[in-house]
Amino acid sequence: LNNARSFNGSSDIINAGTGATLNTYGNFTAEAWFYTASTGTATTIVSKGTTSDWLYWLGKDASNFLTCKIYQAASGAGYLQATSTITISDSKWHHSACTLSGTDLNLYLDGSLVATSNTTTGTRDVSTAGGLYIGSFFNAGNTVLWNGYIDEVRISSIARSPEEIKANALRRPYSVYTSEVLDLSGAGTFVSAWNDLTWTELGVTTGDGETLKDSTSLLSQWNFNETSGTALDSSAGSCGATCDGTLTGFASTSSQD
C-alpha cells in the first residue's frame, strides 16, 4: 500500500488525541490495513482508552490471530471479544475490520467474516475519555506495540455492512459497462434531437483505495501519506484536525513503505 507507516515494535506510537468525536459508545467500525511478521506476542493495530479505562482494541493476539475486544466499564476486563483462527503473521498485507452493532461483534479479515460474538460479560464501558492510539495498547508502556506496517486506519460511528467491508478490502473495486450499440445510420433513421445522458456510478476506481464509496458516519481516517515531520493528518471524517495524530518514539519520521 502507498506510504504505509513502519512500526518497530519497541518504541513507535501514534497518539490521535482524546477528542470526544472518537468516543464510540454505540455502534462502530474500526478498519485498517496491516503487515507483520512478528510472532508469539500480542501487538496492537488501533486502540482507544487509558491505562485503566479501556474502550476497544484491534490487534494480533499471542497466538498470531486477529482479535477485536470491547471492554467493561473501568475494569480492563472484556465485555465482548471476537478472535479469528487464521494466522496473520505471514509477511503479507491484510485488511482488518471490526464492527459492533448492538451486542453483535463481527471481525473481518480481507473482506471475509472470520469471527463473531454476542456473548457479553458485565457492563460495557461508555465513559472513557482516553486517547486513540495507533500501534500501541493505550500507551501502556512499551508493550503490545505493533511490529510491521499499518495503513489507512478508519473509525466510523456505524457498523458498516459486509458489502462495504468487502469493497474496502478490495481497495479499488470497479467494473466496466459496455452499452448497447445505438445504430443511427440505418435506413429511415433520422435523429432530430439528443437529450443529455445521465447515469449513476457505483464501485468505480477510487485511486489507491483511500476514498470510501460512502463516508457516512466516518469519524476519522488516517492515510499515512506524510513523508516527514511528527504529525499524522486526519485525512477525512467529521473529526477533522482535532484527530490529527502525533508520532512519538520513531527513529525516523519518514519511515514509510
Side-chain angles (χ1 to χ4, degrees):
L1 284 87
N2 293 333
N3 298 329
R5 175 58 60 182
S6 172
F7 293 78
N8 65 9
S10 61
S11 63
D12 296 348
I13 296 172
I14 297 178
N15 182 351
T18 58
T21 303
L22 295 175
N23 290 334
T24 50
Y25 300 138
N27 297 341
F28 89 103
T29 300
E31 297 178 73
W33 285 90
F34 68 87
Y35 174 109
T36 186
S38 171
T39 61
T41 58
T43 54
T44 304
I45 299 173
V46 61
S47 66
K48 180 76 168 69
T50 68
T51 54
S52 60
D53 194 7
W54 309 338
L55 196 59
Y56 58 80
W57 180 81
L58 175 64
K60 178 184 72 68
D61 70 7
S63 297
N64 308 315
F65 298 145
L66 185 67
T67 298
C68 184
K69 182 180 286 188
I70 313 298
Y71 289 90
Q72 294 183 39
S75 71
Y79 171 73
L80 268 171
Q81 178 172 326
T83 301
S84 75
T85 57
I86 301 171
T87 298
I88 59 174
S89 298
D90 56 2
S91 299
K92 296 179 181 179
W93 278 104
H94 295 283
H95 180 268
S96 60
C98 175
T99 69
L100 180 66
S101 177
T103 57
D104 293 324
L105 185 65
N106 291 331
L107 183 64
Y108 297 83
L109 179 64
D110 297 329
S112 297
L113 182 66
V114 292
T116 63
S117 177
N118 59 9
T119 302
T120 62
T121 301
T123 302
R124 182 187 175 191
D125 192 333
V126 292
S127 63
T128 184
L132 183 139
Y133 296 94
I134 299 172
S136 169
F137 184 60
F138 316 118
N139 207 25
N142 291 336
T143 60
V144 203
L145 300 187
W146 189 256
N147 189 349
Y149 297 90
I150 297 175
D151 200 5
E152 293 169 24
V153 177
R154 297 180 179 128
I155 305 295
S156 303
S157 60
I158 58 172
R160 298 207 174 271
S161 69
E163 292 76 17
E164 288 179 288
I165 299 299
K166 185 175 183 178
N168 294 345
L170 291 174
R171 294 188 63 228
R172 296 200 300 173
Y174 70 95
S175 61
V176 176
Y177 172 72
T178 303
S179 68
E180 296 181 2
V181 175
L182 302 177
D183 186 358
L184 304 179
S185 62
T189 300
F190 178 73
V191 178
S192 60
W194 189 275
N195 294 328
D196 291 339
L197 298 177
T198 62
W199 64 91
T200 300
E201 291 182 292
L202 299 175
V204 297
T205 302
T206 57
D208 57 4
E210 293 179 351
T211 303
L212 286 174
K213 171 182 170 293
D214 183 359
S215 60
T216 302
S217 300
L218 177 66
L219 300 180
S220 190
Q221 174 174 315
W222 299 271
N223 291 332
F224 300 85
N225 290 338
E226 297 78 13
T227 57
S228 63
T230 59
L232 174 67
D233 289 340
S234 175
S235 308
S238 59
C239 192
T242 303
C243 293
D244 286 353
T246 302
L247 281 66
T248 59
F250 287 83
S252 170
T253 56
S254 60
S255 51
Q256 297 176 332
D257 283 342

